[in-house]
Amino acid sequence: DWKPDIREMDRLEQSLIEGKRVLEIGSGPGLAAFVAAMIGASSVVLSDYKRQVMELIAINIKAVRN
């Protein structure tokens, strides 16, 4: 199992992400996609093969939007 590590998020360079479309495959909690959205991605798509994970991602998206 891959565990998200907040220390890895500093590797997402704003200049490489800003204005780009981002696809995160095997999103898990969606941390990289959320960071990409925060630093200016034009659109972000998350995917995971586990239905429960996608349901949790939907909850996280709603929480971030509120």
Side-chain angles (χ1 to χ4, degrees):
D1 264 344
W2 178 83
K3 303 289 185 219
D5 188 339
I6 194 69
R7 294 171 294 179
E8 296 296 319
M9 295 304 102
D10 65 349
R11 293 185 182 177
L12 289 177
E13 302 258 349
Q14 184 171 4
S15 63
L16 296 175
I17 301 292
E18 193 170 26
K20 302 286 188 337
R21 296 180 299 172
V22 173
L23 169 62
E24 184 179 12
I25 299 172
S27 299
L31 182 59
F34 284 108
V35 172
M38 290 182 349
I39 63 174
S42 64
S43 68
V44 178
V45 175
L46 296 93
S47 67
D48 201 287
Y49 72 97
K50 294 182 180 179
R51 180 183 179 95
Q52 297 150 320
V53 171
M54 292 305 297
E55 291 168 356
L56 290 173
I57 288 171
I59 291 168
N60 289 341
I61 290 170
K62 288 178 186 174
V64 169
R65 287 184 174 168
N66 291 331

